[in-house]
Amino acid sequence: GCCNACSNGTQVQNPINRKLASGHNQTTQVTLSSVANIETKRFPTSQEITYMPISVVINTYNAEQYLKEVLDSVKEFDEIVICDMESTDRTLDIAKEHNCRIVTFPKGNITIVEPARNFAIRSATNEWVLVVDADEVVTPQLKEYLYKKIKEHDCPKGIFISRLNKYIGEFTKCWSNDWQLRFVARDKTDWPST
């Protein structure tokens, strides 16, 4: 892996192309000043921090093939935002069936998703955002990890997550430990457009 800590990531079998595996923090830890008790100069314990919601944002363009399975894997998060780039297949129907909030980013002649990522992240209503591709399945272990992590007073503003990839129906070793920045604090994030 990329470091000794990577070897403890949880990887679970997955029936589609890519899967987000257990979370891993490769960023510098930044203190969440908003949870600091200024008067006593102490940070609350994770038990003292109240529940914090997480939004999932998924950018889509003609993503009907795996979208139902992806949405089923994130249905227990607090909000699901579909940022659609003018799909012409059943993508929006599937998103509506799953009660997703839908926003539209004009596709124009864009051939990659990155220009729409910032718009999608800013469309989330919660401070914490999990960015998921339309062919990725989120494991229950990752969900549990993220909700625990944001309760920690030293939770970083960004967390890299390992993906377990499939190619032609088989898990690939050459793309193992594919670490991506996918969990972010909404207002602290400026996603690059390329």
Side-chain angles (χ1 to χ4, degrees):
C2 59
C3 64
N4 290 338
C6 295
S7 62
N8 65 9
T10 303
Q11 296 181 341
V12 179
Q13 293 287 324
N14 132 37
I16 64 173
N17 288 350
R18 292 188 287 182
K19 174 177 235 168
L20 296 172
S22 182
H24 173 70
N25 169 14
Q26 286 184 315
T27 61
T28 302
Q29 293 194 351
V30 178
T31 302
L32 290 173
S33 60
S34 62
V35 297
N37 183 332
I38 302 302
E39 292 177 20
T40 63
K41 303 287 188 201
R42 76 167 186 86
F43 289 100
T45 66
S46 62
Q47 292 82 17
E48 295 172 313
I49 297 175
T50 59
Y51 179 81
M52 289 188 283
I54 297 174
S55 294
V56 173
V57 298
I58 304 171
N59 289 82
T60 58
Y61 176 70
N62 291 340
E64 70 180 354
Q65 184 174 3
Y66 301 116
L67 190 58
K68 182 185 179 319
E69 188 166 3
V70 172
L71 292 174
D72 286 342
S73 79
V74 297
K75 66 185 175 190
E76 293 181 15
F77 284 88
D78 301 284
E79 177 186 47
I80 304 170
V81 178
I82 296 292
C83 180
D84 189 66
M85 296 175 69
E86 302 175 328
S87 291
T88 58
D89 66 357
R90 291 198 65 251
T91 296
L92 294 179
D93 294 333
I94 295 167
K96 289 173 186 171
E97 290 167 8
H98 285 78
N99 298 313
C100 299
R101 192 159 65 80
I102 300 169
V103 297
T104 303
F105 186 88
K107 182 179 182 326
N109 61 358
I110 297 171
T111 59
I112 59 173
V113 70
E114 271 55 43
R117 288 268 198 225
N118 259 343
F119 180 74
I121 292 167
R122 298 279 181 263
S123 297
T125 60
N126 298 309
E127 170 61 18
W128 292 101
V129 177
L130 176 62
V131 177
V132 177
D133 283 348
D135 64 351
E136 293 174 330
V137 169
V138 176
T139 64
Q141 293 89 343
L142 176 59
K143 177 185 163 281
E144 180 181 332
Y145 172 85
L146 294 175
Y147 276 102
K148 283 183 182 178
K149 191 70 176 169
I150 61 176
K151 285 184 166 187
E152 296 175 6
H153 73 273
D154 61 348
C155 181
K157 299 293 185 186
I159 298 176
F160 283 78
I161 299 171
S162 175
R163 297 187 303 186
L164 181 59
N165 295 286
K166 273 188 166 183
Y167 179 70
I168 312 176
E170 299 292 326
F171 289 107
T172 63
K173 292 183 183 193
C174 62
W175 290 328
S176 294
N177 293 322
D178 178 15
W179 296 97
Q180 303 287 322
L181 179 62
R182 289 303 186 85
F183 189 67
V184 297
R186 181 194 62 215
D187 296 335
K188 304 293 183 192
T189 301
D190 188 18
W191 202 277
S193 62
T194 57

